Each structure stands twice: as C-alpha cells, then as structure tokens.
Amino acid sequence: MTGTMSFAVGLVAVVVFALLAPALQITARIRAWSLAPVMLLGLAALLSHMLGVLLGVLTLPDFRYWDAASIFGFGVMAYVFAFGAAYKSVSLDILLGLVDRPGRTAPLSDVVERQVPDLFYGRTKILVDGGLVEQSDSRFAATAAGRTMANRIGRLRRAFGIGNSGLYEFSE
C-alpha cells in the first residue's frame, strides 16, 4: 500500500509543479526578472520535487522515493514538452496570426514580409539579451558565451543523432 501512496506523493508533486511553474512565469513577467523561462521551469521542478520528497518522508513510514520520482519525472517532462511546443514556436505564431486575421487567411507573401521578420527579430533579441550575440550596425556576431553555448548544443545534437529533420538544416 505504501508503494501506491508513494506514487500518489509523486502525483501531488506534479500538481504543485503544474501550479508553481505558470505562477513563476507570470511573476517573472510582472517583476521583469531576468531569468529565462527554462530556468523558471527548473526552479519550479526543483522546489516541487523537494516538497514532494518532504511530504513523502514526513507522512509515509515506508516512502519509496523512486516510485514517487518516476511519476514526478513523467509529469514534469510532459509539462516541459508541451511548454516547449507552445513557447516561441514560429509555426504556432504564424498559425495564431492567421487565425486572428479577417477571413482567417493571408497570402504567403504577407506572412513572410510582415510576420516572419518580427518573429525572428524577437528570437535575435533573446540572443542579444542573453549575452550570446552582439549587434554591430546591421550585423550580428556570436560572443564568447555564444560560441561556448553553440559548441555545447552541437555536441548535444550529435549525441542525440539530430541532423536534417526536414524543418531545419543543422551543420555538422
């Protein structure tokens, strides 16, 4: 029975995470925190996991950490996957822009000329604000931190076997 209860503790921790993560995102926007959204997700995961473990240890005589952690890990990863799919998705932004237009249509040239530059400007601003890229006139250059990050991401892509996905071309 305590094994089942340990799973329940993991589920409670997922619920805490699902409430805490958006609360931190909203608070960060209101207070203009400089933490990246992914860092806020990590903080929410860490806090809710610690609260879940504390709850399990204090309430269950035979708390099974790995049972609780498996449910928690699955729930958090599902949330993070959904968050990542919705956050800063160029395709989703284009779709939302089409839905908001009269008649819910637009010529491709209108999307490319009006919407896409704003989307990419926003992505570039994130890189500049994060100290990964610096702008000089109309040119951009990777900073030392940007080159380090690019090297790390390149290694991760190779480790995961990511290559040409049909949407993006990644240089080897």
Side-chain angles (χ1 to χ4, degrees), residues 17-18 20-26 28-29 35-42 44 75-90 92-93 126:
F17 171 78
L20 183 59
L24 284 175
Q25 299 291 337
I26 291 166
R29 279 194 305 278
L35 288 173
V38 70
M39 296 299 289
L40 295 170
L41 286 178
V76 168
M77 289 310 301
Y79 184 100
V80 169
F81 181 78
F83 180 89
Y87 178 71
K88 299 293 182 192
S89 167
V90 171
L92 182 58
D93 283 346
I126 291 169

Side-chain angles (χ1 to χ4, degrees), residues 5-6 9 50-64 68:
M5 292 306 295
S6 294
V9 167
M50 288 181 351
L51 287 171
V53 170
L54 187 61
L55 174 68
V57 168
L58 294 176
T59 61
L60 299 177
D62 188 25
F63 176 60
R64 296 182 183 167

